[in-house]
Amino acid sequence: MAVSTESDLYYDPYDGEIHSDPYPVFRRLREEAPLYYNDKFDFFALSRFDDVEKGLVDHRTFSSAKGGILEIIKANMEMPSGVFIFEDPPLHTAHRGLLSRVFTPKKMNALEPQIRDFCAHILDPLVGGERLDFVRDLGAIMPMRVIGMLLGIPEEDQRAVQERGDEKLRRSPGLPRDYSSNNFADGTFFAEYIDWRSSNPSDDLMTELLQAEFEDDTGTMRKLTRDEIVIFVNILTTAGNETTNRLIAWAGKILAEHPDQRHELAEDRSLLPGAVEEILRFEPPAIQICRYVTRDVEYYGRTVPAGSVMMFVNASANRDHRAFPPDGDVFDIHRKIGHHLTFGYGIHFCLGAALARLEGRIALDEVLNRFRDWDVDSDNAVLDSSAVRGWQTLPTVLR
């Protein structure tokens, strides 16, 4: 079948029941409707690994300039300069090049001692207790402290920053979020930090953003405008917290369900980097990436017309048995992964991937240093209704 027209195969990205476990639907999409069309919300979707990978690379056909979330593209918003995750070249190239100087693997790996200290400070008081919430006790705290440290945001203000980022992504169950009034350049929250750093430079990312010069898309050498800095900081605080928070919680959930593999990790920490990659593949926080279609393109005998929205279902692609044989729906810390699509692919590959991997590895290592066995308290675990799929709370019982 080239495209889905059957009522019994239905993918609604806002449906709470599907959201709780989308993988049976994704499996059917890959096999029965590799090009899927949703009439209600008017989007096409690709779900096989090769299609998603190639589509994410083709930025000329699939533009980011109108957004990467279905509701944002549909809102037809005018994107201000600086929303680098929603830009095409050459502007995206200029902005990403500036940030790439900061988010190098070498610089991120140098943060390991501080990240371990954060984890120890959080986890040590829980030793000897009976419960650990992978979100409230760890995932919601440590990543925000790391990005707060990088940006120079005081610890006492970091919770408010996190809550603001959460609110930007949260949806009412079953409904699209209204982004029509979203202001990416709203500087009211970060104005104080930016003004302070302008007069009091320090060794942090905020200072680097204020002082850095770069060649923009017009060939002009300049510094970032105030609005661009506000936008950068807004994006970095949200992205730097949300995805890693989700990764840590999914690690707790998946390893509770696979105790033999958890015990292997506890005994052999050299397996941790591969385990983090498998967790990222198996349960990606961002399960789909949307693009605006700039020109007619054909898939499976059907034309996707210019002006459409294409949803690349990377969570489905990550489970495709063609890319991850013999069965992508099986979790295996020994799996040899060439690459997955959790961080996207192509020019918009996540700038913070190295930091997320580092934080995930350290968090899991430090948890296993203190706790070897746990079970999820399913009655009290709450899956969030958000554009980033993960847990609002994931309490576990320690054994």
Side-chain angles (χ1 to χ4, degrees):
M1 182 186 294
V3 64
S4 174
T5 58
E6 301 295 329
S7 59
D8 69 331
L9 177 52
Y10 180 65
Y11 177 53
D12 178 346
Y14 311 113
D15 184 279
E17 185 175 346
I18 295 174
H19 185 72
S20 66
D21 181 11
Y23 295 103
V25 174
F26 291 167
R27 191 180 310 118
R28 290 192 63 193
L29 288 178
R30 289 193 302 272
E31 303 311 313
E32 300 174 34
L35 176 66
Y36 173 80
Y37 178 69
N38 181 297
D39 182 67
K40 179 179 180 180
F41 295 107
D42 186 27
F43 68 86
F44 289 86
L46 290 168
S47 52
R48 291 181 179 177
F49 186 91
D50 283 351
D51 293 333
V52 173
E53 180 187 56
K54 291 173 184 175
L56 289 174
V57 171
D58 185 3
H59 63 85
R60 291 180 175 83
T61 303
F62 302 108
S63 170
S64 299
K66 290 182 178 291
I69 297 172
L70 180 60
E71 299 99 306
I72 292 179
I73 298 175
K74 290 294 185 181
N76 197 29
M77 301 165 58
E78 185 70 30
M79 292 292 170
S81 176
V83 189
F84 58 91
I85 58 174
F86 298 155
E87 291 176 342
D88 290 332
L91 186 58
H92 171 264
T93 306
H95 284 147
R96 185 180 175 95
L98 176 59
L99 282 168
S100 293
R101 302 177 204 169
V102 178
F103 283 92
T104 64
K106 183 178 180 180
K107 287 184 177 181
M108 295 303 100
N109 288 331
L111 299 173
E112 180 158 348
Q114 292 113 307
I115 296 173
R116 285 199 181 275
D117 285 345
F118 288 152
C119 287
H121 179 73
I122 293 165
L123 294 172
D124 281 347
L126 303 176
V127 173
E130 297 179 350
R131 302 178 72 83
L132 165 65
D133 190 317
F134 274 82
V135 177
R136 293 181 178 175
D137 292 333
L138 182 58
I141 302 173
M142 185 269 282
M144 191 63 242
R145 287 194 183 175
V146 174
I147 201 68
M149 173 186 67
L150 287 172
L151 287 166
I153 298 171
E155 187 175 327
E156 61 269 20
D157 294 334
Q158 289 173 12
R159 179 61 183 169
V161 172
Q162 181 193 41
E163 289 174 350
R164 187 171 181 267
D166 288 345
E167 176 54 33
K168 290 180 183 179
L169 296 170
R170 188 160 290 116
R171 298 164 168 153
S172 297
L175 298 173
R177 181 182 173 87
D178 181 7
Y179 283 97
S180 59
S181 60
N182 190 71
N183 182 7
F184 290 97
D186 178 10
T188 55
F189 196 86
F190 294 107
E192 181 180 345
Y193 304 120
I194 294 171
D195 290 342
W196 170 254
R197 278 290 169 249
S198 296
S199 304
N200 300 271
S202 181
D203 183 22
D204 58 32
L205 177 54
M206 187 88 75
T207 301
E208 289 197 47
L209 291 176
L210 285 162
Q211 295 180 345
E213 292 191 347
F214 71 106
E215 183 177 331
D216 69 14
D217 57 312
T218 69
T220 303
M221 288 298 299
R222 65 176 179 87
K223 292 184 177 181
L224 291 168
T225 67
R226 181 184 175 84
D227 278 355
E228 286 173 328
I229 292 173
V230 168
I231 292 167
F232 275 30
V233 173
N234 271 301
I235 293 172
L236 291 171
T237 52
T238 301
N241 171 65
E242 283 297 317
T243 51
T244 309
N245 180 353
R246 302 298 200 249
L247 166 60
I248 291 169
W250 280 119
K253 175 76 159 50
I254 295 167
L255 292 177
E257 295 169 346
H258 296 83
D260 291 347
Q261 296 189 60
R262 183 180 71 234
H263 294 156
E264 278 194 80
L265 289 174
E267 294 299 326
D268 184 358
R269 303 305 171 85
S270 70
L271 297 172
L272 279 173
V276 169
E277 291 306 305
E278 179 67 348
I279 292 165
L280 286 164
R281 179 197 72 85
F282 196 71
E283 287 285 7
I287 64 175
Q288 59 225 357
I289 303 166
C290 292
R291 296 286 186 261
Y292 179 79
V293 182
T294 64
R295 56 192 179 190
D296 290 359
V297 60
E298 185 172 299
Y299 285 96
Y300 301 99
R302 174 163 178 172
T303 298
V304 177
S308 301
V309 176
M310 179 62 79
M311 179 180 289
F312 295 109
V313 190
N314 53 305
S316 171
N318 277 355
R319 299 279 190 107
D320 191 345
H321 68 88
R322 300 163 187 84
F324 303 100
D327 187 350
D329 284 320
V330 171
F331 178 77
D332 181 5
I333 61 172
H334 299 286
R335 186 185 297 276
K336 303 302 180 186
I337 300 175
H339 67 271
H340 52 69
L341 301 176
T342 295
F343 293 118
Y345 203 61
I347 63 170
H348 282 281
F349 183 81
C350 177
L351 273 168
L355 180 57
R357 286 172 165 134
L358 178 68
E359 289 181 274
R361 174 176 61 81
I362 294 172
L364 191 48
D365 196 19
E366 293 298 324
V367 167
L368 290 170
N369 282 342
R370 295 162 177 82
F371 314 108
R372 297 288 291 268
D373 293 291
W374 62 84
D375 296 307
V376 173
D377 178 3
S378 300
D379 290 340
N380 293 298
V382 179
L383 191 68
D384 211 350
S385 178
S386 172
V388 183
R389 184 171 176 267
W391 296 91
Q392 185 175 331
T393 176
L394 190 78
T396 62
V397 179
L398 303 172
R399 294 187 282 108

